[in-house]
Amino acid sequence: MCAAADARITLGGLHMDSGDLERGRPLIEEAIGYAAEISDPSLEARGAGNLGHFLRELGHHEEGLAVLEESLARHEAMGWASVHKTFNHQNRAEIYFELGDLAGARRIVEAVLRTHPLSKHRYYVDAVLARSAAAQGDLPAARRAMRAPGRSDALTSQRMNIVQLSLLALLETDLVAGEVDDALAVSERALERLVLESAHGYTWPMADVMAEAARRGAAPGRSEETAARARRVRDLVADLVTLMPAHGTAQQAYQMSVAARVAAVDGVEPAALLERWTAAVAAWEATPMRLHLAGARLRAAEAAVAGGDRGRALEWVRQVHTAAEECGAVPLAGAAADLARRMGSGLVEDTAPPAVPAGLTAREAEVARLLTVGSTNAQIAGELFITPKTASVHVSNILAKLDVPNRAAAGARLRELGLA
């Protein structure tokens, strides 16, 4: 009977992976119930982990969390040690992360790492820790977490889900750090070498973050080499997503976000880009994933500003800042404040725009944004219609006000301040 129950878990997972919740969920629940009857903690925990994982991927986060927490609490009460406990805590932390509870996700994985530092599931746990820390703006913690596995071996694991989670952590950390060229290089390598469409549950968020790397790499001020690689990644992502189904609200929202980011790389007209991002916002609103929704609203607000729709832009940017502050997503909050500042608006009605940080002038803030993407003085001059000598003076003033020795250190500090 254990073999039959194990087979039900596998078959149920296959159904749920294809989006068939009605056929897949009862099979796994039946196996969990049987495992509880015969007191088989390993089988029960495996079923709970699989069910929680697939519920999350389909956008049923709260239900998945309830399954996992009930199973973990039962094992704790029974004094059972399960080989799947660490994996289930990772699944639980991943749900916290996607619900926007970044501090809660970190508490879970840090507790696992204290009690099970040598677990074979540490790869999974480290990836969630890195993603949560990066979203909080804690880059040192994110980098420490990614020492196992490191950048060099993230693509060599025999397990696709380890590869995917490692890549997600690496890419999200790189983008928060402003290391767009690194993110593009990793994206290009993965897209060219891996058969990612065979495991679309994690590939959808990967496609989304890779498309975001392409969007940033194609932005004004980047070198032609970076822009060319961004276009290459854009093409590879676009090809990839045509091969993948989008099951459930979460995957459908990723699909809409990828389409909007690809359109941004293509340089579509502001009205068309705003339409894409408005659709993405609506798709994320159908999920409980607060920070993903906030990120889409920020891009929609930028598109609305470019299209002259100030009212919608202001509404969105204020929503973004509120959500980011509540979730502890410091980089996202800083980006929202920076957009409000550029709009000349406050983050709360009838308040002044956020002050430019570090005592920078408005013009220095414009130069600073170009500095963070690696623009040369000549490129800054071209973008802002000033002379290279004037650009050089602004850069020198920025370095002095930030008390940093060079442009690279200035870029890092400016990203911390939200000027990116």
Side-chain angles (χ1 to χ4, degrees):
M1 285 296 293
C2 285
D6 193 76
R8 279 181 169 79
I9 293 173
T10 300
L11 180 59
L14 290 172
H15 283 308
M16 294 187 73
D17 190 45
S18 66
D20 193 343
L21 185 65
E22 291 186 3
R23 293 178 66 188
R25 184 171 184 171
L27 288 171
I28 301 178
E29 289 176 336
E30 183 181 341
I32 293 171
Y34 173 74
E37 287 179 14
I38 64 171
S39 298
D40 185 334
S42 180
L43 181 63
E44 182 184 339
R46 177 171 174 258
N50 276 261
L51 183 55
H53 168 84
F54 286 114
L55 285 169
R56 177 192 61 76
E57 285 195 342
L58 293 173
H60 299 270
H61 290 66
E62 295 289 356
E63 294 175 54
L65 186 61
V67 168
L68 290 163
E69 293 191 334
E70 180 182 349
S71 176
L72 287 164
R74 182 171 136 74
H75 282 215
E76 193 71 28
M78 300 291 288
W80 285 344
S82 168
V83 294
H84 294 284
K85 182 179 287 187
T86 302
F87 184 64
N88 284 2
H89 276 302
Q90 176 260 320
N91 276 312
R92 178 170 161 251
E94 203 166 10
I95 292 175
Y96 271 64
F97 170 78
E98 291 193 351
L99 290 175
D101 188 347
L102 303 177
R106 285 190 69 168
R107 281 195 301 270
I108 293 169
V109 296
E110 286 168 351
V112 169
L113 292 172
R114 284 195 303 271
T115 55
H116 299 86
L118 301 178
S119 168
K120 69 177 183 179
H121 294 127
R122 176 163 184 160
Y123 285 156
Y124 303 99
V125 176
D126 280 323
V128 180
L129 175 56
R131 297 180 74 194
S132 302
Q136 290 177 315
D138 187 351
L139 287 171
R143 293 298 190 204
R144 285 195 302 271
M146 289 314 297
R147 287 185 303 202
R151 182 182 297 277
S152 62
D153 60 347
L155 302 182
T156 61
S157 171
Q158 298 298 310
R159 297 184 64 88
M160 179 58 80
N161 52 2
I162 289 178
V163 172
Q164 291 170 310
L165 278 171
S166 297
L167 282 168
L168 272 171
L170 287 168
L171 291 167
E172 290 172 1
T173 301
D174 280 347
L175 289 183
V176 170
E179 295 170 358
V180 174
D181 286 304
D182 287 342
L184 288 171
V186 171
S187 298
E188 186 176 27
R189 182 181 173 204
L191 288 162
E192 288 177 342
R193 298 187 181 190
L194 302 177
V195 185
L196 295 168
E197 65 270 19
S198 63
H200 58 270
Y202 279 127
T203 298
W204 272 116
M206 280 180 54
D208 193 39
V209 73
M210 288 173 172
E212 175 62 12
R215 188 193 70 83
R216 296 190 193 188
R222 298 286 182 188
S223 70
E224 180 50 42
E225 181 182 358
T226 298
R229 176 165 265 172
R231 291 190 293 271
R232 170 65 176 158
V233 170
R234 173 254 180 253
D235 291 343
L236 291 169
V237 169
D239 290 343
L240 171 65
V241 298
T242 62
L243 303 173
M244 295 195 303
H247 301 305
T249 56
Q251 292 180 22
Q252 289 162 5
Y254 281 122
Q255 185 179 48
M256 299 303 292
S257 283
V258 170
R261 297 187 208 281
V262 166
V265 177
D266 293 341
V268 302
E269 291 297 317
L273 186 59
L274 176 57
E275 184 178 345
R276 293 289 183 93
W277 276 117
T278 300
V281 167
W284 285 115
E285 286 173 341
T287 79
M289 300 165 69
R290 294 186 69 197
L291 288 179
H292 290 75
L293 169 59
R297 281 175 170 160
L298 179 65
R299 300 301 168 220
E302 292 170 342
V305 169
D309 192 342
R310 180 184 171 83
R312 273 209 292 179
L314 185 56
E315 179 183 0
W316 275 325
V317 79
R318 286 173 173 172
Q319 290 172 334
V320 173
H321 191 265
T322 297
E325 287 275 291
E326 290 174 354
C327 295
V330 175
L332 183 59
D338 186 48
L339 181 55
R341 184 185 305 118
R342 283 182 278 157
M343 293 173 62
S345 301
L347 290 165
V348 178
E349 192 172 355
D350 297 326
T351 61
V356 181
L360 300 180
T361 66
R363 180 55 118 181
E364 287 167 350
E366 290 179 314
V367 173
R369 292 185 192 96
L370 293 169
L371 192 61
T372 62
V373 301
S375 297
T376 64
N377 289 345
Q379 289 170 325
I380 291 170
E383 285 292 325
L384 299 181
F385 302 101
I386 57 178
T387 68
K389 183 177 180 180
T390 300
S392 177
V393 170
H394 284 314
V395 170
S396 296
N397 290 340
I398 291 168
L399 297 183
K401 289 182 179 181
L402 296 177
D403 192 23
V404 294
N406 52 48
R407 299 167 79 99
R413 180 63 183 134
L414 290 165
R415 282 187 288 273
E416 291 175 3
L417 297 172
L419 288 170

